[in-house]
Amino acid sequence: MPEITIERNGKIFGPYTESQLAYYIENNKILLNDTARIDSSPDTMTLDRAMKKCHWRIPRAKNPWESLKKTGIDFILPWQEIKSMSWLHERRFLLLALIGLFPLGILLLTNGAVAYIAIAAYFSVLWGMFFFCIFKTDQVKLKECCSCFLITALISTTALLLIHFTGLLSFADSMTKSKQFILRFAGMFLEAGLPEEICKAAIIFRIVRKKGVICIPQTLVLYGLFSGLGFGINEGICYQLGINRRYGIDGAYFLNVLRLTSLPFLHATWCGIASYFIAFSALVPMHRIGLRILAVLLPAIIHALYNAMPDCLRILPAVSGIILFTIYLSNAKNMKQKLT
């Protein structure tokens, strides 16, 4: 009479006879996909196959309804847990549900402008959670992250719009439409790159001027990411309600998606680069002026290159900025030693 040995997680159980295996299978102690060996054979296979090879009876559920009935209604509808509200303590799952279901709620909004703002807020939260999880340090305060986002989105961006309305930057507008790359780049630098990067970096300059606050570069970079995100999302809303509507359905759709995904990320990355140098300007006062000029000029140049490039080549300055951002963060300790 053959016997079967079971192997699971490196441990050996048995050997078992047909009746013993039937009992354990029916009581869910042994599974049909466990690794099995017949007698002393070196060959292994699933228990299901081994039992068939021995011509043994394999216990099966005869009546699915009886099986469900045996598990009880609580297994399908855990009413006691629902009524006790214990599921409210599972914050991770509630957060996932909120993220997954929020867009459905947006469909209930009848006002187009409010819906665009709600969608922008949704993507802001997603990007913010991503940045916070990846770049958080012990110094980081969530309140400061939110302040950077809101101040840039509401105050700094409004100030930049007022400057545009006054016509102070109108001299560069004709340059941005030039067919010559150098002139187009210069126009983009003066009209968009420089003023927008100053707008995003303003809150970071304010943070490093606080008394008794010394931030490591990684902390200030995270604040810069939130500031850039605030600008990018705000700009995205303006484009969705204005320029993007001039295009056809397909064009408007893809531009709207771009304005809520990659472009806020790029704005955040450029401001992260600025924040990196601003952090070092506070840590190494002897190089303060040069580092702060670099903090504004470098992201402004990358920004202007992105705007001035043909659509098919914009990926080049975008990727270059991300590569620089990554290298800067990874070399933060070495840079501090070099500067001091």
Side-chain angles (χ1 to χ4, degrees):
M1 188 74 176
E3 291 183 324
I4 294 178
T5 303
I6 303 298
E7 296 181 14
R8 183 191 290 178
N9 299 328
K11 296 181 180 180
I12 298 176
F13 304 90
Y16 300 110
T17 62
E18 179 181 4
S19 59
Q20 288 174 322
L21 278 177
Y23 172 80
Y24 288 129
I25 292 171
E26 288 174 353
N27 288 276
N28 300 314
K29 302 294 184 184
I30 293 178
L31 305 176
L32 290 174
N33 62 338
D34 277 329
T35 301
R37 190 191 306 272
I38 301 173
D39 291 333
S40 58
S41 171
D43 298 327
T44 59
M45 61 197 77
T46 62
L47 176 58
D48 193 359
R49 185 180 173 191
M51 293 181 74
K52 288 178 181 177
K53 202 168 184 179
C54 293
H55 303 289
W56 287 2
R57 182 184 66 87
I58 301 174
R60 304 285 187 186
K62 296 181 179 179
N63 190 327
W65 173 247
E66 288 297 325
S67 299
L68 290 174
K69 191 176 179 180
K70 188 177 180 181
T71 60
I73 190 65
D74 289 339
F75 182 75
I76 303 169
L77 185 65
W79 179 245
Q80 292 300 324
E81 283 76 9
I82 294 173
K83 192 166 62 172
S84 67
M85 298 293 185
S86 59
W87 48 274
L88 288 174
H89 299 293
E90 299 291 340
R91 294 184 179 180
R92 289 178 300 174
F93 300 108
L94 290 175
L95 185 61
L96 286 173
L98 180 63
I99 292 172
L101 297 176
F102 186 82
L104 289 176
I106 295 175
L107 293 176
L108 302 176
L109 298 173
T110 56
N111 187 298
V114 174
Y116 278 122
I117 293 172
I119 293 172
Y122 174 73
F123 278 95
S124 299
V125 171
L126 292 182
W127 274 123
M129 290 171 60
F130 174 76
F131 290 148
F132 195 81
C133 291
I134 298 295
F135 299 105
K136 183 180 180 294
T137 69
D138 293 336
Q139 283 185 322
V140 168
K141 297 178 181 178
L142 181 59
K143 181 180 177 181
E144 197 77 78
C145 292
C146 295
S147 295
C148 289
F149 178 88
L150 293 173
I151 288 174
T152 298
L154 301 177
I155 299 176
S156 299
T157 308
T158 302
L160 183 62
L161 287 173
L162 290 174
I163 292 173
H164 278 286
F165 283 135
T166 58
L168 294 176
L169 301 175
S170 59
F171 68 94
D173 185 59
S174 60
M175 297 170 65
T176 62
K177 299 177 177 63
S178 174
K179 293 183 179 180
Q180 296 183 25
F181 176 77
I182 297 297
L183 283 177
R184 192 165 65 251
F185 166 76
M188 290 296 183
F189 178 82
L190 295 171
E191 187 182 52
L194 190 61
E196 289 184 11
E197 295 308 321
I198 292 174
C199 164
K200 291 184 287 184
I203 182 63
I204 310 302
F205 280 116
R206 176 180 170 274
I207 291 174
V208 296
R209 287 175 60 86
K210 289 183 178 180
K211 292 182 180 179
V213 176
I214 303 296
C215 293
I216 61 174
Q218 291 87 340
T219 297
L220 217 60
V221 163
L222 179 58
Y223 293 154
L225 289 171
F226 272 88
S227 177
L229 180 62
F231 180 91
I233 291 295
N234 188 300
E235 184 184 62
I237 295 172
C238 294
Y239 272 82
Q240 285 179 312
L241 295 174
I243 296 174
N244 290 5
R245 292 187 173 186
R246 300 174 189 173
Y247 297 87
I249 294 176
D250 292 340
Y253 171 79
F254 288 114
L255 285 173
N256 286 345
V257 171
L258 187 65
R259 285 288 173 186
L260 293 173
T261 53
S262 292
L263 293 186
F265 170 72
L266 290 179
H267 277 296
T269 303
W270 298 335
C271 191
I273 292 174
S275 302
Y276 173 85
F277 289 107
I278 294 171
F280 277 112
S281 75
L283 294 173
V284 191
M286 293 296 292
H287 300 285
R288 178 177 297 171
I289 296 176
L291 287 170
R292 292 193 173 182
I293 291 174
L294 190 60
V296 174
L297 286 184
L298 183 57
I301 290 171
I302 298 172
H303 188 161
L305 281 172
Y306 177 87
N307 286 1
M309 286 282 190
D311 291 344
C312 60
L313 296 178
R314 284 185 174 181
I315 190 68
L316 297 178
V319 172
S320 299
I322 295 169
I323 291 173
L324 283 176
F325 175 74
T326 305
I327 293 173
Y328 290 152
L329 271 183
S330 62
N331 290 336
K333 291 184 179 179
N334 294 335
M335 181 60 71
K336 184 179 178 182
Q337 292 176 353
K338 186 175 181 179
L339 289 173
T340 54

